[in-house]
Amino acid sequence: MENVRKRILVAAIQKYGQSAQQFKAIEELSELIRALARCDDPENIAEEMADVRIMLDQLELIFRNGQKVARYEVQKLRRLDQRVHAADVIE
């Protein structure tokens, strides 16, 4: 995470508190869910995705689990890659 971005995220956590930011993450996730469910306009979906990405980064700082998240992401991407390419096999 770049220094300026991290500084801003840490400042938000310090100002509002960890618990408040966890609830804010839930709120932002629900807003993205609603936008996707409505098949909302692409601009609103992009905005909600940005909010969620910011909150996910804050959660990584709160839980100090960025490396663990990155490892799981790699594992899950590998599994997805296998599934996607397994569908290409003709039997």
Side-chain angles (χ1 to χ4, degrees), residues 37-83:
R38 289 189 309 255
C39 294
D40 209 323
D41 70 283
E43 194 68 29
N44 187 42
I45 290 172
E47 182 179 355
E48 297 304 338
M49 289 173 66
D51 289 339
V52 167
R53 186 168 289 161
I54 289 167
M55 296 314 301
L56 288 174
D57 287 345
Q58 286 186 60
L59 290 174
E60 283 187 15
L61 291 169
I62 289 168
F63 293 107
R64 294 177 174 91
N65 64 357
Q67 289 180 343
K68 188 176 286 188
V69 170
R71 282 195 307 270
Y72 277 117
E73 185 176 1
V74 168
Q75 289 174 6
K76 290 174 181 284
L77 283 169
R78 285 181 181 149
R79 187 169 59 206
L80 177 60
D81 184 48
Q82 290 171 351
R83 288 179 182 158

Side-chain angles (χ1 to χ4, degrees), residues 7 9 16 23-24 32 41 43 46 50 54-55 61 84:
R7 182 181 53 77
L9 298 174
Y16 301 113
F23 283 110
K24 184 68 174 173
L32 177 58
D41 70 283
E43 194 68 29
I54 289 167
M55 296 314 301
L61 291 169
V84 166

